[in-house]
């Protein structure tokens, strides 16, 4: 992308905060400067000509790296880009320090408008799923299909295993946790996260574990790491309390894009019981249930997610073709 594409989206050399994150073979990471935010964007190289655009959004504490396995499997079907949302991965915090779901949605919309890539196939996990739902509801012109993997939509009775993560939103808790765990090794921190996010942490290969440890070490060096986690967690909790037209469930009802919902039966952060409500709420939806997966199905079982997404692509294209065929 050159600076002539848009005055609001300038590709510049990657200058990540501290050490850069891991870049898998066949990927490239660049930074894009928007008004009020600078974001790292991960993509496969080179992109195949003529493929429809896709955009991937990660969850709380995640990064664009979370999508590498799925991006690799879908490289011949979509021209994918994965964002490091502001404050995560290699993206610094936004100028306004707004980590709310609405604030993140505004940044995503700003990026898509500046790039002129819409409508995109929008794929998102957890917190990113809430952001993507809001984007699809308020800007349906930007979203061709929606794929939500364990989306962080409001739960009246969250699982007990999700409570500690939610407590990060309480003022002072994040800094307290940082002090209480200051002697934890990166290996221990990584094991704790994997045990929470994976249905079976044993599926993580030694190489993947080593990369995850290195990424945890890198993030802990960032002076804003705990502040971003606290503010983003607060943004999720705050979104659960919004009513009326700003309610995420109300906005889910407004989504027009064909929607693939992916839920792991072993998810400890988003209750599997929410799959039924989501299936009833999104008007044009299909559900993929993965019995052995937890919260990050695109990392735990990328083959199954890729198959379901390809089916969505095929069916959506067939529907569009039928609609375009003259009758009579």
């Amino acid at each position: 992308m050159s600076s002539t594409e848009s005055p609001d989206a300038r590709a510049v050399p990657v200058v990540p905060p501290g050490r850069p994150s891991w870049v898998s073979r066949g990927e490239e990471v660049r930074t894009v400067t928007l008004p009020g935010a600078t974001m790292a964007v991960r993509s496969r190289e080179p992109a195949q000509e003529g493929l429809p655009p896709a955009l991937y959004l990660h969850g709380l504490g995640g990064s664009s790296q979370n999508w590498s396995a799925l991006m690799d499997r879908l490289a011949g079907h979509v021209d994918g880009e994965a964002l490091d949302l502001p404050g995560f991965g290699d993206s610094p915090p936004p100028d306004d320090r707004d980590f709310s779901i609405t604030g993140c949605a505004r940044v995503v919309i700003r990026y898509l408008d500046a790039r002129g890539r819409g409508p995109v196939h929008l794929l998102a996990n957890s917190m990113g799923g809430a952001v993507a739902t809001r984007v699809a509801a308020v800007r349906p012109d930007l979203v061709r299909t929606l794929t939500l993997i364990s989306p962080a939509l409001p739960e009246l009775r969250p699982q007990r295993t999700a409570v500690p993560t939610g407590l990060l939103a309480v003022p002072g808790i994040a800094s307290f946790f940082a002090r209480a765990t200051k002697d934890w090794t990166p290996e221990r921190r990584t094991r704790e996260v994997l045990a929470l996010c994976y249905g079976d942490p044993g599926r993580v290969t030694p190489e993947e574990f080593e990369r995850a440890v290195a990424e945890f070490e890198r993030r802990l060096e960032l002076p804003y790491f705990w502040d971003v986690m606290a503010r983003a967690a607060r943004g999720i909790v705050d979104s659960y309390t919004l009513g009326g037209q700003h309610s995420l469930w109300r906005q889910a009802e407004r989504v027009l894009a064909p929607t693939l919902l992916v839920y792991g039966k072993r998810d400890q952060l988003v209750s599997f019981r929410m799959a039924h409500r989501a299936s009833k709420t999104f008007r044009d939806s299909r559900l993929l249930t993965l019995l052995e997966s937890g919260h990050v199905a695109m990392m735990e079982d990328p083959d199954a997610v890729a198959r379901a997404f390809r089916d969505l692509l095929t069916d959506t294209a067939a529907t569009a073709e039928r609609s375009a065929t003259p009758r009579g």
Side-chain angles (χ1 to χ4, degrees):
M1 178 177 62
S2 68
S3 59
T4 59
E5 282 188 82
S6 166
D8 291 332
R10 305 189 304 277
V12 297
V14 175
V15 186
R19 292 184 288 124
S21 61
W22 174 269
V23 180
S24 300
R25 178 175 297 181
E27 291 182 344
E28 65 173 0
V29 177
R30 68 187 190 283
T31 55
V32 172
T33 301
L34 300 166
T38 298
M39 289 188 297
V41 183
R42 185 179 300 259
S43 59
R44 301 287 304 176
E45 57 173 352
Q48 186 176 325
E49 292 290 334
L51 294 178
L55 189 69
Y56 303 83
L57 306 178
H58 62 79
L60 177 67
S63 75
S64 59
Q65 291 186 67
N66 297 160
W67 297 102
S68 290
L70 187 61
M71 286 177 68
D72 178 57
R73 286 159 175 77
L74 297 178
H77 300 271
V78 294
D79 177 10
E81 295 181 338
L83 297 184
D84 281 336
L85 293 170
F88 295 96
D90 288 330
S91 297
D95 292 351
D96 59 7
R97 290 299 197 272
D98 183 357
F99 293 97
S100 68
I101 298 301
T102 298
C104 291
R106 287 196 192 105
V107 171
V108 172
I109 290 171
R110 199 178 306 153
Y111 176 75
L112 288 173
D113 279 339
R115 287 280 281 133
R117 279 169 58 87
V120 298
H121 296 287
L122 187 58
L123 300 90
N125 171 236
S126 192
M127 178 187 78
V131 173
T133 298
R134 186 145 289 171
V135 171
V138 302
R139 288 293 304 275
D141 59 304
L142 293 178
V143 181
R144 184 172 299 181
T145 67
L146 185 62
T147 297
L148 302 177
I149 301 172
S150 296
L153 299 175
E155 298 184 47
L156 293 178
R157 294 181 295 108
Q159 300 180 96
R160 285 179 298 173
T161 47
V163 170
T165 302
L167 286 176
L168 287 174
V170 178
I173 290 294
S175 57
F176 169 79
F177 185 75
R179 293 193 301 271
T181 62
K182 62 182 177 64
D183 295 329
W184 286 17
T185 64
E187 287 79 9
R188 178 178 177 181
R189 294 180 188 276
T190 302
R191 290 191 188 95
E192 295 284 344
V193 170
L194 294 178
L196 183 63
C197 292
Y198 274 65
D200 178 10
R203 299 170 78 172
V204 179
T205 67
E207 293 78 10
E208 290 169 340
F209 181 78
E210 183 179 342
R211 289 200 297 270
V213 170
E215 177 63 9
F216 227 128
E217 288 181 312
R218 187 191 73 83
R219 293 186 188 185
L220 288 171
E221 294 175 358
L222 302 174
Y224 51 77
F225 173 78
W226 288 111
D227 181 59
V228 168
M229 288 293 290
R231 289 174 182 264
R234 200 169 303 139
I236 296 174
V237 172
D238 288 347
S239 74
Y240 282 24
T241 66
L242 295 176
Q245 64 179 346
H246 299 295
S247 161
L248 280 170
W249 285 114
R250 183 71 62 84
Q251 293 192 325
E253 294 174 347
R254 294 167 50 191
V255 172
L256 301 176
T259 301
L260 168 63
L261 300 166
V262 182
Y263 283 83
K265 197 70 183 291
R266 296 185 177 184
D267 197 330
Q268 299 182 67
L269 292 170
V270 170
S271 174
F272 178 73
R273 67 175 181 269
M274 302 308 293
H276 177 66
R277 181 174 182 181
S279 295
K280 290 174 56 180
T281 303
F282 288 91
R283 64 178 70 187
D284 183 4
S285 69
R286 60 184 67 189
L287 174 65
L288 171 64
T289 298
L290 297 174
L291 300 180
E292 304 299 321
S293 289
H295 191 61
V296 286
M298 70 285 189
M299 302 171 69
E300 300 174 79
D301 198 346
D303 290 320
V305 176
R307 284 194 298 271
F309 178 76
R310 289 194 296 266
D311 288 343
L312 177 67
L313 280 184
T314 300
D315 294 346
T316 301
T319 300
E321 185 176 345
R322 286 195 299 270
S323 299
T325 302
R327 298 181 180 182

